Amino acid sequence: LPVLAHPERSNEVWGHPRRLERFVERGWPLCLNASSLHGDPDRSPPTRTMWELLDLGLGDLVASDAHRATRGPELDRAYRLVADRVGERRARAMFDGSALAAPSVRASR
């Protein structure tokens, strides 16, 4: 199963987040990057795009991109931001992976 990782970082998606709908319709999960949530949406295209994706109901997972000690996972902070925006139920599924095990959740968007 292909998982599309941090699509919010693609300049092909900036300003056109609905371009990802064709992949979602194929059942391919979108994995958003926790660190993309922490920027300024007015100055950061990835941050703005990530919030647009969430508002459109797109995005199945949130993961860290913590490749080194100076770039921590920030998952607790990201969880709080997502839960405040989309609600605890959806946020929990995006962070615990249960969204992948429940095709009906994807179909009910």
Side-chain angles (χ1 to χ4, degrees):
L1 175 68
V3 175
L4 300 178
H6 46 74
E8 76 279 0
R9 291 186 174 185
S10 169
N11 61 358
E12 294 294 321
V13 178
W14 298 346
H16 308 282
R18 289 189 180 272
R19 287 182 174 170
L20 296 170
E21 288 177 334
R22 64 186 170 144
F23 301 111
V24 172
E25 289 168 2
R26 294 178 75 174
W28 296 5
L30 302 180
C31 183
L32 308 175
N33 191 328
S35 64
S36 294
L37 288 163
H38 306 301
D40 177 354
D42 293 329
R43 298 177 57 144
S44 169
T47 299
R48 180 176 46 254
T49 302
M50 184 152 175
W51 289 118
E52 289 172 355
L53 290 167
L54 288 169
D55 290 344
L56 289 169
L58 301 174
D60 301 286
L61 302 168
V62 175
S64 78
D65 200 13
H67 294 284
R68 56 190 173 275
T70 58
R71 186 175 174 180
E74 300 283 337
L75 288 169
D76 291 335
R77 181 176 172 205
Y79 177 83
R80 200 63 264 142
L81 290 168
V82 172
D84 288 348
R85 184 79 162 236
V86 303
E88 291 282 338
R89 181 173 173 230
R90 181 166 174 223
R92 191 174 315 110
M94 293 178 75
F95 282 80
D96 71 10
S98 62
L100 291 177
S104 62
V105 172
R106 294 175 61 79
S108 68
R109 277 197 244 165

